[in-house]
Amino acid sequence: MDAATTAGLSPAPTTHSRLLAWVAEVTALTTPARVVWCDGSDGEWQRLTGQLADAGTLVRLNPELKPNSFWARTDPSDVARVEERTFICSVDPDDAGPTNNWMAPEEMKQLLGELYRGCMAGRTMYVIPFCMGPLDAADPKFGVEITDSAYVAASMKIMTRMGTPVLDVMGADAEFVPALHSVGAPLAPGQADVMWPCNDTKYIAHFPDTREIWSYGSGYGGNSLLGKKCYSLRIASVMARDEGWLAEHMLILKLTSPQQKVHYVAAAFPSACGKTNLAMLEPTIGGWKVETLGDDIAWMRFGDDGRLYAVNPEYGFFGVAPGTDDSTNPNAMRTLAQGNSLFTNVALTDDGDVWWEGMGTPPAHLTDWHGNDWTPGSGAPSSHPNSRFCTPISQCPILAPEYDDPRGVPISAILFGGRRKTTVPLVAQSRDWIHGVFMGATLSSETTAAAVGQVGVVRRDPMAMLPFIGYHAGDYLAHWVDLGKDADPDKLPKIFQVNWFRRGDDGRFLWPGYGENSRVLKWVVERLEGTAGAVDTPVGLVPHPAAIDTEGLDLAYADLAAALHVDPTEWAVEVPQIAAWFNQFGEKLPGILWTELDSLKERLR
Ligand code: GTP
Ligand code: SPV
Ligand code: MN
């Protein structure tokens, strides 16, 4: 079938010959019933969501409560990223390293080529040109996703800058990352569709040498919205290694002090460990202001002035729903209240709104994420723990105007955080860049529902990038070390480690978190400005409890002290774990990180 002459559809709106050739090739392989080039218009959104509502994949929410918004439920087997099915198909297996699954590129292409054969039969194939980061960037990073999922096409409209304006800037021969996605559920003539088509066989494959993405079998965001983790982290981290920049799993926020001094902060926490919440934080301390630039991904490059500048490549938020509430993240609630959003695997209220755990007292009746009746006595949660909202960044009431500036914003501080019940203090500053890289390289966190698998297991997660480094993790850590070597130390961001999730012996969180994290940000700024003290502990510079502003905070001194405590016996347990973690990288691990480990051992003595 010729894409340009499909009955009733407009011809391909581009003269980009490599793009046209690729679309023709995929069309011939996957044999869709029709091909649609996405233009990114509001009319297109209405058409896509209308068709999905007719098909039963989406339910329109009450327009009085959530205008132009929809509720989706996935197949219960397709609810999160699938790390075991995610592959880095580098030519050299050593380029994938010990932390990634690897398959030879030809072998993966052969295997997926067979799965893709005829896989879009009976379906519409959408061609989605997109750009990660502002379109007016000096070196815009283009991609084109081909997908047979209208849910993906609608989600990509929220999450990326996409459509005809992108094709216009791409012109006739711009570089782009081809990103192919299929749910892997062809329809025979007359066969009725299911609510959430997907396939038990799943592959999320990346080809870093040729900068291509092939995804099969899953419709869930992290596996199917290929501009996000697949492009902006796995492929972009390889681009960044080659071109001397960083593609990181980080939020970006702007912090203004009562003295009107501005600092930009980036923070890397693993999936479902607090990035969206910190990015939109409402400070509980007077005179401080937070504005949002991004909640998940930061691309960072050195500017001519020697400072590290961050850009958010995304255009929307794909956030964890449970736990989001007026009390924890009021700015997310205000963003969602404006509508124009997709909600996936949350619960539906009887008046056509959404509900999830953490929103206060549950209503007497809900339709849960399985589509079943739910009451507070039901036992199981109404929403999947990895249920998500997908909403435009432009609706965030505290969006910093410079979020769209292609030059990015200069970062003063980088926070590395994880979810640890024990051991890791509320906040610690690194002694220098290398010690900060050591903090990032040894970051650990309990696993969450954001990926399929066991929840609550502590694992090392370097820079919160474990599932997202598109090459050898040892080379990745060396890249971080190298960037610091060439830079002016006074201009480098200062690096901190945080842990909002430490618990008391009774299991309670020791630190209240959320908006109260502004008190930790205040100490961070005071460290940057040289006005706060710190205790030199074996693991870094930690505030004395008295150095944290607790005015108006109802928190026992003992809890704060316990949250900040550095216990050498707990840390002594970490040391051999860190050594085992480092050992698997062999020669690739920069020797200076072993020196840092020796120094930690020495300090613990
Ligand atoms: P991804 O989108 O998967 O990358 O997650 P994220 O890092 O953006 O995490 P998010 O902000 O969505 O938070 C994940 C979960 O942690 C939610 O249930 C939050 O309510 C909870 N959470 C976030 N911040 C805090 C905090 O400071 N303290 C506590 N106790 N929980 C928090
Ligand atoms: C994460 O898991 O880090 C997310 C959600 O932000 S996903 O897009 O599914 O990766
Ligand atoms: Mn994330």
Side-chain angles (χ1 to χ4, degrees):
M1 187 186 62
D2 176 358
T5 56
T6 311
L9 296 172
S10 55
T14 178
T15 57
H16 195 300
S17 53
R18 268 176 298 122
L19 173 55
L20 288 169
W22 179 59
V23 170
E25 187 194 323
V26 172
T27 306
L29 176 64
T30 62
T31 64
R34 61 200 79 78
V35 176
V36 170
W37 287 75
C38 291
D39 61 17
S41 65
D42 289 338
E44 177 175 84
W45 165 270
Q46 297 304 339
R47 218 157 39 240
L48 287 169
T49 53
Q51 285 164 4
L52 284 161
D54 290 344
T57 305
L58 293 184
V59 170
R60 185 181 290 277
L61 296 174
N62 183 339
E64 311 260 300
L65 303 171
K66 291 281 185 304
N68 193 28
S69 296
F70 299 85
W71 179 60
R73 296 191 295 112
T74 72
D75 187 284
S77 68
D78 196 23
V79 294
R81 285 184 293 102
V82 283
E83 295 181 0
E84 282 186 3
R85 310 302 306 159
T86 301
F87 291 78
I88 300 298
C89 303
S90 46
V91 172
D92 181 349
D94 205 33
D95 278 343
T99 60
N100 285 308
N101 300 310
W102 178 84
M103 199 187 287
E106 324 79 70
E107 194 186 338
M108 181 62 87
K109 287 200 167 173
Q110 176 94 39
L111 189 160
L112 278 175
E114 286 313 313
L115 292 175
Y116 281 138
R117 193 174 304 285
C119 73
M120 297 190 187
R123 297 194 181 279
T124 302
M125 178 177 120
Y126 299 93
V127 183
I128 309 164
F130 63 91
C131 181
M132 298 316 296
L135 253 179
D136 56 349
D139 176 22
K141 297 293 190 200
F142 298 114
V144 178
E145 178 159 352
I146 292 181
T147 178
D148 54 10
S149 162
Y151 168 89
V152 167
S155 302
M156 284 292 284
K157 175 167 164 65
I158 297 175
M159 294 305 297
T160 67
R161 297 157 174 93
M162 55 78 84
T164 307
V166 176
L167 281 184
D168 291 345
V169 181
M170 278 177 68
D173 63 6
E175 294 286 331
F176 68 95
V177 171
L180 175 55
H181 170 254
S182 172
V183 293
L187 291 169
Q191 182 185 344
D193 205 354
V194 294
M195 181 193 72
W196 185 267
C198 63
N199 196 304
D200 286 342
T201 300
K202 294 177 172 50
Y203 285 95
I204 321 297
H206 308 73
F207 303 92
D209 300 276
T210 49
R211 297 182 180 178
E212 297 168 277
I213 303 161
W214 289 19
S215 170
Y216 180 88
S218 171
Y220 168 75
N223 305 325
S224 68
L225 311 180
L226 303 185
K228 195 172 173 56
K229 295 308 184 0
C230 298
Y231 185 150
S232 293
L233 289 178
R234 298 197 190 95
I235 295 293
S237 63
V238 174
M239 296 174 168
R241 173 199 63 189
D242 295 346
E243 299 167 10
W245 49 283
L246 291 165
E248 298 298 327
H249 194 196
M250 291 182 182
L251 67 93
I252 311 167
L253 66 80
K254 177 183 183 181
L255 191 58
T256 307
S257 73
Q259 294 74 38
Q260 302 306 309
K261 281 206 74 171
V262 170
H263 289 286
Y264 297 97
V265 177
F269 311 154
S271 303
C273 291
K275 289 182 300 302
T276 301
N277 278 268
L278 191 70
M280 300 183 190
L281 168 146
E282 203 159 71
T284 51
I285 43 177
W288 290 78
K289 185 167 148 190
V290 166
E291 292 161 272
T292 309
L293 290 104
D295 81 324
D296 200 49
I297 300 178
W299 285 358
M300 302 194 289
R301 301 164 194 272
F302 285 99
D304 295 335
D305 61 357
R307 296 194 66 190
L308 192 59
Y309 284 73
V311 168
N312 171 15
E314 300 193 278
Y315 210 42
F317 304 124
F318 185 62
V320 177
T324 309
D325 183 27
D326 291 328
S327 65
T328 57
N329 192 347
N331 289 313
M333 298 304 282
R334 291 174 193 131
T335 305
L336 299 174
Q338 293 177 59
N340 312 308
S341 302
L342 299 177
F343 298 87
T344 303
N345 287 338
V346 303
L348 179 70
T349 67
D350 292 350
D351 59 354
D353 204 347
V354 285
W355 196 87
W356 47 73
E357 278 64 31
M359 262 203 211
T361 315
H365 177 264
L366 293 166
T367 307
D368 72 11
W369 75 277
H370 289 288
N372 297 328
D373 288 322
W374 185 94
T375 64
S378 288
S382 68
S383 303
H384 188 275
N386 191 41
S387 54
R388 298 260 164 182
F389 54 77
C390 181
T391 193
I393 194 170
S394 60
Q395 293 179 188
C396 179
I398 59 161
L399 187 63
E402 53 273 49
Y403 87 97
D404 205 21
D405 186 336
R407 289 167 306 180
V409 293
I411 299 297
S412 302
I414 291 174
L415 316 183
F416 290 122
R419 190 182 274 271
R420 287 294 305 267
K421 291 188 174 71
T422 66
T423 318
V424 180
L426 178 63
V427 59
Q429 183 180 4
S430 66
R431 288 182 297 275
D432 54 25
W433 178 262
I434 292 294
H435 183 224
V437 174
F438 176 81
M439 282 177 166
T442 58
L443 190 69
S444 58
S445 194
E446 293 145 23
T447 51
T448 67
V452 170
Q454 230 186 321
V455 169
V457 183
V458 176
R459 68 176 187 185
R460 298 288 145 191
D461 192 341
M463 282 76 174
M465 282 285 283
L466 180 70
F468 308 120
I469 303 170
Y471 57 105
H472 193 298
D475 287 335
Y476 168 79
L477 296 175
H479 185 55
W480 267 87
V481 169
D482 289 346
L483 286 182
K485 274 186 199 148
D486 303 335
D488 175 348
D490 293 337
K491 293 183 176 170
L492 279 172
K494 302 292 174 279
I495 301 180
F496 298 77
Q497 181 170 40
V498 299
N499 178 21
W500 314 142
F501 299 94
R502 201 164 182 184
R503 301 200 191 220
D505 295 335
D506 52 2
R508 276 173 314 120
F509 287 116
L510 289 168
W511 176 251
Y514 301 106
E516 307 296 359
N517 293 333
S518 55
R519 300 172 190 274
V520 174
L521 293 179
K522 178 180 175 185
W523 182 78
V524 165
V525 165
E526 288 170 349
R527 290 298 298 167
L528 298 175
E529 296 179 352
T531 57
V535 183
D536 195 358
T537 79
V539 303
L541 306 164
V542 175
H544 185 277
I548 299 287
D549 180 350
T550 54
E551 203 190 315
L553 178 63
D554 184 17
L555 178 68
Y557 181 88
D559 282 355
L560 178 58
L564 288 166
H565 184 55
V566 175
D567 180 346
T569 54
E570 281 183 325
W571 278 94
V573 178
E574 298 284 304
V575 167
Q577 294 171 0
I578 293 171
W581 163 247
F582 278 178
N583 257 322
Q584 64 178 320
F585 303 121
E587 291 294 298
K588 296 264 199 191
L589 191 87
I592 197 144
L593 294 179
W594 282 115
T595 312
E596 283 295 328
L597 181 58
D598 288 341
S599 141
L600 171 62
K601 268 192 257 181
E602 199 55 43
R603 285 160 186 272
L604 285 170
R605 222 170 259 150

